[in-house]
Amino acid sequence: STAQTVTLRNAGTAILNIQTVALAGANPGDFAIANGSTCKNGATVASNSSCVIQLTFTPTALGTRSATMGITDNAADSPETISLSGTTALTPLVTITPSSVSFPNQYVGTSGLPQSVTVTNNGNAPLSITSVTVNPGDFAMLNACGSTVAAGTSCAVGVFFDPTAGGIRTGTLTITDNAPGSPQTMSLTGTGQDFS
């Protein structure tokens, strides 16, 4: 995220000596003290002066994430704590399994049994599929996913190997959607076998 600024002001008459500025709580790894922060371990703040802490949010999981930032110093109310929270945006997240498909040998001009590819939406928003394609013409597919995959559900794409020539044939399954990293691709491999 963009940095959010927390200002620490020394309203006293003596110098404020900061010992530590640290993150703790439920999800401290989702928050970070960014460059540009002047409230640091070992910093001093003069009377009627202030320093700032720049905080960023990088969620590692879906939902609402929380933490606390604690400042220990020589003030009477030390440690001072600030509650932090952030929520992940609604977004679909796609997982395709397996990561690649290798077909058994297939005679040229014939079609083998389909291999199933599972498309899973691990996100918290619907996955909108624009297109599912295979290239080149040595491969074909049957799409059972439709145009939308709800959050937390899966669908299947059947991929066929229809070799047009002998030898090793390679291709790609491509899924274009509204998830980060689109289009998602996976490699397809098979060996065309000629009659002799």
Side-chain angles (χ1 to χ4, degrees), residues 1-15:
S1 69
T2 56
Q4 300 288 323
T5 302
V6 174
T7 302
L8 176 68
R9 183 167 183 80
N10 178 6
T13 57
I15 292 175

Side-chain angles (χ1 to χ4, degrees), residues 10 14-20 43-45 71-78 80:
N10 178 6
I15 292 175
L16 178 69
N17 297 308
I18 298 174
Q19 281 97 44
T20 59
T44 59
V45 182
I71 303 167
T72 56
D73 49 43
N74 62 333
D77 59 351
S78 178
E80 298 86 24

